[in-house]
Amino acid sequence: MTKITFTFGAEVLTATLDDTPAGQDFAAMLPLELELTDYHGIEKIADLPRKLDTTGAPRAYKPETGDITLYAPWGNLAIFYKPFQKSNGLVRLGAFDGSVAPLVDAGDTSVRIEIAD
């Protein structure tokens, strides 16, 4: 499992990626600078520069608060700050190690995602 950081403003949040093809492929993209925007008061989303390897991923996933996911049909990153229903095409990449409240409170924001030291 790979530890990563999300840096925005003065905040740094840590997360752990799953040891899956999708989680490993996302780690291989890092570092990334993304624009996170709020989506339906449930998640923060951002476009990724390319598709991820979803080999072996379940057809659907039910996200929980703090999950980092890929929505494969759109190819975007989706960070859930509220639980949501099981959704086709949603692939878990990992999860935050603690609260995602600072990210939610930041509104739409630029974020740098990188492998933790």
Side-chain angles (χ1 to χ4, degrees), residues 6-13 35-38 44 81 100-111:
F6 285 71
T7 305
F8 52 99
E11 296 283 347
V12 178
L13 301 180
E35 292 293 322
L36 291 178
T37 57
D38 194 74
K44 300 281 186 175
Y81 57 87
V100 293
L103 190 58
V104 177
D105 295 343
D108 292 352
T109 188
S110 296
V111 66

Side-chain angles (χ1 to χ4, degrees), residues 51 54 70-76 89-91:
K51 292 186 177 206
T54 58
L70 165 73
Y71 185 59
W74 293 354
N76 69 291
L90 203 57
V91 178

Side-chain angles (χ1 to χ4, degrees), residues 64-81:
E64 299 297 330
T65 300
D67 279 348
I68 303 163
T69 65
L70 165 73
Y71 185 59
W74 293 354
N76 69 291
L77 186 68
I79 299 168
F80 285 85
Y81 57 87

Side-chain angles (χ1 to χ4, degrees), residues 1-57:
M1 294 197 290
T2 304
K3 293 283 191 181
I4 61 173
T5 59
F6 285 71
T7 305
F8 52 99
E11 296 283 347
V12 178
L13 301 180
T14 61
T16 304
L17 295 177
D18 295 340
D19 189 15
T20 61
Q24 292 168 356
D25 199 20
F26 182 66
M29 279 187 177
L30 302 180
L32 283 174
E33 299 272 347
L34 300 174
E35 292 293 322
L36 291 178
T37 57
D38 194 74
Y39 191 72
H40 291 291
I42 297 168
E43 61 190 294
K44 300 281 186 175
I45 64 169
D47 291 330
L48 291 175
R50 65 170 173 78
K51 292 186 177 206
L52 294 178
D53 179 0
T54 58
T55 301

